[in-house]
Amino acid sequence: MTDESRHAPTILMLTTNFPRRVRGDTTGTFVYDLAEQLAQDHDVLVIAPHDHTGTRSHQIITRRLSVARVRYFWPQKLQRLAYGFGIPDNLRKSWLARIQLPLLMLAFMFAAIRHGRTRDIVVCHWSLTALAALPLRWFWRIPIVLVAHGGDIRLAPRTFTRWLVSRVDWMVSAHDDLIEYVQSLDVPTPLLRIRNLTGTIPNTNAETRLTLRDELGVGHGPLVLFVGRLTEFKDPLTFVEAVPHVLARAPEARCLLVGDGPLRTDVEIRIDALGLAGYVKVAGHRSDVLEILRLATVFVAVSPITNLWSTTLIEAMHAGVPCVVTDSGGASETLSSGIDSMLVPSSDPRALADAIVELLNDDELRNRLAEGARRLLQRQGFLREQIKAQWTGLIAKATAS
């Protein structure tokens, strides 16, 4: 260990979403990726919720990265707020989850005070954890960085968001629209865009890819891939509705949906109703998304709300897979159709199918979009070295005083 790393600021990271297993669990992987990256130069302790299974209360992941799990309800098997389909969905569906919200807040606050008083900085993912960490700032003057990811800001009352963001030292988000929204609240807190880290795309060999294709049941021809939660926010049903129009002109194509969620049953019913069982597979939750991206010919992101910047879209671009993206949430202000992606109207299966077929039939277009997407990622600050440099600078500045 160098003198510089030995005296680097120590970090407490609070998050309501974090992998419960180091391997094979895709829950909160972008949070894990950041924690692992920061732990290369800093001692990092992550505070995350316990689940209702046998997850260990304390995990040592690397020499400088460990996780402490907080229990917030007893008996433990009845914990219903964290994980699953996410806190917002859990709150809507379960009265037990609503009862547990203040208990989770208190558990986080006690854990933050217990572990954070000797730390140099607190990095809080989502607003809930920043609220729990405020005593560290008030009583021990430990700086707080709030990392906003979307729903926590969009769903909260404006007055609460203004109050909370005004009381942390920095707010970071990967999403331009969230930063613009918070700017509109006229808060004094510095706002900084730092993109989310994504996993490294593996270099798999041809034999491994063929084995994975056989396991997924998608054949050996062109593959159109959807990855995301099966919710209205991601709109998997529009993708399914587009498939017959794709097959009419590209019958050798196969389609795969990777993900789970409340619309899964509706998706499977619609696949059967359209007679697509042999052409469309629903893989459910998978821990090998990065490997599956290596199989894809075309990637689709069809949210009617926003696609910028979803982790799966970024990973697809990193993997060199040409992307069809719905023009929602200001996508056309960042993406250029025909240059780095294909933009289509949202909730329009025929337009989606037209774009997919055009890409399936044009090797040169696919290559051009893949190269344009790589240039876009660099301009937008998605390269790993860019993200690390921004976080290093922020931590140094926040802990300098």
Side-chain angles (χ1 to χ4, degrees), residues 12 34 36 53 105 142 152 164 188 194 200 240 261 263 364 391:
L12 180 70
L34 176 60
E36 185 181 48
T53 66
M105 275 294 307
I142 299 172
D152 57 328
L164 179 62
I194 304 180
T200 302
V240 174
L263 288 183
E364 183 181 348
W391 272 106

Side-chain angles (χ1 to χ4, degrees), residues 372-384:
R374 291 189 189 98
R375 293 194 298 269
L376 173 70
L377 291 176
Q378 183 173 11
R379 290 197 307 272
Q380 292 290 327
F382 280 104
L383 300 187
R384 205 169 188 89

